[in-house]
């Protein structure tokens, strides 16, 4: 269990829960985009622990993707790495047909791929804008479209799940918290929020569930700068009422629950997994 090495409050040490392994996704198959590192990797591993077969999508780091696949195989599931840029229509289509070739069906899509390319707005290049919107928003559309085609064709298989398919859209607290210096990222995540809800409304009659997860500050490479020194960590804690950073596996476990029949009546909802970051921490005192 990782120790909170930068505890800056009077708790003895931050406590991270461990959870028993629960095979709630036995017999189900999943695609997790961007799962060679960070939150996507943890989501893929937790799905694997829960019994799912998983396609590990990556854009450049083949070796890490293969390591994630290997770890899932150790839990007894099938898993393989597949390179595809989620903003490319042909590459996304190739990925979905390979998943069907290898697994024979698809039950879960975790639309996770996301990048940041930060700059003040008057210095942001069109390339930085297009790249972030391309991966974070267009990528979610391209993948959801392919998954929904498959889910509609398959219909409900009651022995597998109450739903014909489940989509989880990885968003961010920045789908509702504005973020200066990151306008491309915040705009993409605001887009993901309304994309998720609109798709959920459209496909619910087909028994397809679409939900979002909005992580706050999670210990991954994307925000290394915000937690890797005691000063930065202390600064970050001003934004988190729960006074600790989140761990990737904590997002993974929420994904497992949202993908399982335990959440079957949940549709079009976002789970904010953020230690209270969206609770206006500036108002802890004053106002
Ligand atoms: C961003 C991180 C940031 C967190 C909280 C995430 O969506 O990718 O860089 O630390 O939001 O601000």
């Amino acid at each position: 269990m990782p120790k909170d090495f930068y505890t800056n409050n009077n708790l003895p040490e931050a406590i991270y829960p461990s959870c028993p392994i629960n095979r709630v996704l036995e017999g189900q198959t999943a695609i997790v985009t961007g799962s060679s590192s960070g939150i996507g990797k943890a989501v893929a591993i937790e799905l694997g622990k829960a019994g799912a077969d998983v396609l590990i999508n990556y854009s450049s780091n083949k070796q890490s993707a293969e390591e994630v696949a290997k770890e899932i195989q150790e839990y007894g599931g099938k898993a393989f790495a597949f390179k595809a840029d989620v903003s490319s229509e042909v590459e996304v289509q190739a990925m979905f047909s390979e998943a069907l070739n290898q697994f024979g069906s698809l039950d879960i899509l975790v639309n996770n791929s996301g990048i940041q390319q930060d700059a003040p707005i008057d210095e942001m290049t069109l390339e930085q804008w297009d790249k972030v919107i391309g991966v974070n928003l267009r990528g979610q559309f391209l993948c959801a479209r392919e998954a929904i085609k498959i889910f509609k064709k398959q219909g409900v298989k009651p022995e597998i799940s109450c739903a014909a398919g489940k989509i989880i859209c990885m968003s961010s607290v920045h789908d509702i918290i504005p973020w200066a210096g990151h306008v491309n990222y915040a705009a993409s995540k605001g887009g993901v929020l309304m994309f998720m809800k609109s798709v959920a409304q459209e496909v619910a009659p087909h028994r397809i569930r679409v939900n979002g997860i909005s992580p706050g500050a999670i210990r991954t490479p994307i925000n290394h700068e915000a937690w890797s020194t005691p000063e930065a960590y202390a600064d970050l804690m001003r934004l988190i009422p729960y006074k600790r950073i989140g761990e990737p596996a904590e997002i993974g476990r929420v994904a497992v629950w949202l993908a399982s029949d335990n959440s079957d009546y949940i549709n079009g909802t976002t789970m904010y997994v953020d230690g209270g970051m969206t609770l206006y921490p500036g108002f802890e005192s004053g106002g």
Side-chain angles (χ1 to χ4, degrees):
M1 203 167 287
K3 269 199 169 179
D4 185 347
F5 49 97
Y6 295 138
T7 297
N8 69 341
N9 52 44
N10 57 9
L11 296 171
E13 80 180 31
I15 297 158
Y16 301 97
S18 72
C19 288
I21 291 181
N22 181 352
R23 308 275 296 179
V24 279
L25 301 178
E26 197 74 66
Q28 301 203 37
T29 64
I31 292 178
V32 183
T33 65
S35 49
S36 60
S37 71
I39 287 176
K41 171 179 174 180
V43 167
I45 288 171
E46 294 300 318
L47 294 183
K49 279 190 196 165
D53 295 338
V54 190
L55 181 154
I56 309 300
N57 160 254
Y58 68 97
S59 61
S60 57
N61 198 338
K62 185 174 183 195
Q63 197 191 330
S64 316
E66 282 171 348
E67 280 164 19
V68 176
K70 215 161 142 218
E71 187 169 342
I72 291 171
Q73 288 156 9
E74 282 160 19
Y75 297 115
K78 285 190 209 147
F80 68 99
F82 191 92
K83 181 175 164 69
D85 169 357
V86 293
S87 67
S88 154
E89 186 176 40
V90 283
E91 292 183 30
V92 165
Q93 286 170 343
M95 174 167 74
F96 278 77
S97 39
E98 190 55 18
L100 285 187
N101 278 346
Q102 302 256 351
F103 298 148
S105 65
L106 183 73
D107 307 290
I108 300 159
L109 164 68
V110 183
N111 252 339
N112 169 78
S113 292
I115 54 167
Q116 277 182 227
Q117 292 201 354
D118 311 325
I121 180 143
D122 50 345
E123 289 168 25
M124 186 174 286
T125 63
L126 182 57
E127 207 184 355
Q128 287 174 317
W129 173 268
D130 284 344
K131 182 83 187 149
V132 169
I133 300 290
V135 172
N136 298 12
L137 188 54
R138 171 186 160 117
Q140 295 226 5
F141 158 67
L142 290 173
C143 293
R145 187 178 63 171
E146 295 313 305
I148 287 165
K149 285 183 202 162
I150 296 170
F151 296 159
K152 280 188 178 177
K153 221 188 216 167
Q154 283 177 177
V156 176
K157 298 166 283 168
E159 66 291 358
I160 299 288
S161 172
C162 303
K166 282 90 50 162
I167 297 177
I168 296 167
C169 298
M170 202 57 73
S171 185
S172 162
V173 289
H174 298 296
D175 59 15
I176 51 166
I177 302 179
W179 206 15
H182 310 257
V183 297
N184 48 358
Y185 184 82
S188 73
K189 295 302 188 177
V192 166
L193 176 67
M194 202 43 76
F195 170 76
M196 178 278 292
K197 282 177 181 281
S198 303
V199 178
Q201 189 189 59
E202 181 173 331
V203 300
H206 298 274
R207 283 286 159 85
I208 297 168
R209 295 197 294 119
V210 186
N211 289 291
I213 300 178
S214 289
I218 308 297
R219 196 195 307 270
T220 69
I222 208 171
N223 58 359
H224 186 254
E225 237 174 70
W227 53 261
S228 53
T229 65
E231 298 72 35
Y233 192 86
D235 226 30
L236 182 62
M237 287 309 109
R238 291 189 299 113
L239 301 175
I240 308 176
Y242 206 57
K243 303 298 173 210
R244 71 166 172 87
I245 196 167
E247 300 298 333
E250 297 185 285
I251 304 299
R253 291 180 203 138
V254 175
V256 167
W257 183 72
L258 275 180
S260 78
D261 283 354
N262 289 332
S263 61
D264 189 55
Y265 208 47
I266 302 213
N267 204 4
T269 292
T270 298
M271 311 279 309
Y272 287 88
V273 188
D274 67 351
M277 196 176 235
T278 39
L279 297 175
Y280 295 95
F283 281 79
E284 274 171 359
S285 61

